[in-house]
């Protein structure tokens, strides 16, 4: 799946199950420059409306004003690798919601490698106690050096496992709680 200069990105939504995709590339442009929209979304609903059993080999998301990759009510999702570059640049009303990679609401996600560069606020954010996120290796690099704009990891709730974690030039390497 390839998209460039789009309005609303790639979305796996309610009813989506048992899907395999080789590669997704989402590149921002003028059509989404002022939209606080996500690049790639795995967005189900609660209970029986969760999306499930989806596998993607690799995801590349660049220059998206909102979150690069997000998971909400998505179970048994497997991503080989995720690469995010210059995402999360939109001036959202609530900076706590800003991040390149977001996992929430009971999602169960496994990602082999994550490489995020030049994020504006946070590289990774989780919320919801039921969330389960497992990452093999995660690297976050940014030139932002203040705590307000350079958090690498903001793990608010749920169970997150990162086997190898590396943060370069971030204001705070990890904010947990």
């Amino acid at each position: 799946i390839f998209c460039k200069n789009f309005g609303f990105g790639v979305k796996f939504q309610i009813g989506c199950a048992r899907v395999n995709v080789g590669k997704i590339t989402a590149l921002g442009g003028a059509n989404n420059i002022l939209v606080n929209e996500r690049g790639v979304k795995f967005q189900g609903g609660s209970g029986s409306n969760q999306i499930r059993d989806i596998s993607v080999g690799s995801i590349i998301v660049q220059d998206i004003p909102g979150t690069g990759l997000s998971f909400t009510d998505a179970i048994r999702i497997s991503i080989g690798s995720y690469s995010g570059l210059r995402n999360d640049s939109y001036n959202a009303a609530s900076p706590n919601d800003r991040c390149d990679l977001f996992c929430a609401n009971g999602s169960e996600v496994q990602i082999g490698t994550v490489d995020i560069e030049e994020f504006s606020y946070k590289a990774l954010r989780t919320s919801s106690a039921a969330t389960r996120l497992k990452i093999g290796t995660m690297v976050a690099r940014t030139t932002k050096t203040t705590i307000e704009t350079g958090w690498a990891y903001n793990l608010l709730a749920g169970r997150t496992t990162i086997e190898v974690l590396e943060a370069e030039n971030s204001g705070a390497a990890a904010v947990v709680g």
Side-chain angles (χ1 to χ4, degrees), residues 19-66:
V19 175
N20 292 306
V21 176
K23 182 177 182 179
I24 299 172
T25 301
L27 307 176
N31 285 337
N32 66 354
I33 197 78
L34 297 176
V35 178
N36 187 17
E37 187 54 53
R38 290 160 172 84
V40 178
K41 304 169 283 268
F42 292 81
Q43 184 176 352
S46 62
S48 63
N49 289 322
Q50 289 179 318
I51 62 172
R52 61 188 71 239
D53 303 310
I54 298 171
S55 175
V56 180
S58 66
I59 298 175
I60 299 169
V61 181
Q62 296 179 0
D63 299 314
I64 303 301

Side-chain angles (χ1 to χ4, degrees), residues 7 98 137 139 154:
R98 294 180 57 194
T137 300
V139 178
N154 186 212

Side-chain angles (χ1 to χ4, degrees), residues 21-161:
V21 176
K23 182 177 182 179
I24 299 172
T25 301
L27 307 176
N31 285 337
N32 66 354
I33 197 78
L34 297 176
V35 178
N36 187 17
E37 187 54 53
R38 290 160 172 84
V40 178
K41 304 169 283 268
F42 292 81
Q43 184 176 352
S46 62
S48 63
N49 289 322
Q50 289 179 318
I51 62 172
R52 61 188 71 239
D53 303 310
I54 298 171
S55 175
V56 180
S58 66
I59 298 175
I60 299 169
V61 181
Q62 296 179 0
D63 299 314
I64 303 301
T67 299
L69 176 61
S70 70
F71 302 92
T72 304
D73 292 309
I75 60 172
R76 294 186 303 272
I77 308 300
S78 175
I79 310 295
S81 66
Y82 170 66
S83 175
L85 176 63
R86 292 184 304 271
N87 298 317
D88 176 36
S89 61
Y90 185 78
N91 187 10
S94 174
N96 287 331
D97 295 334
R98 294 180 57 194
C99 57
D100 191 300
L101 173 56
F102 180 62
C103 190
N105 294 4
S107 293
E108 296 174 16
V109 177
Q110 181 170 332
I111 306 173
T113 59
V114 173
D115 188 355
I116 297 174
E117 295 189 45
E118 293 306 320
F119 57 93
S120 295
Y121 199 75
K122 297 176 188 125
L124 167 64
R125 181 174 182 267
T126 64
S127 69
S128 173
T131 298
R132 304 291 182 260
L133 173 63
K134 182 176 181 181
I135 297 173
T137 300
M138 181 167 180
V139 178
R141 298 177 201 88
T142 186
T143 56
K144 311 283 194 271
T145 57
T146 66
I147 294 221
E148 292 81 17
T149 59
W151 294 0
Y153 311 98
N154 186 212
L155 310 175
L156 298 177
R159 186 182 318 151
T160 301
T161 302

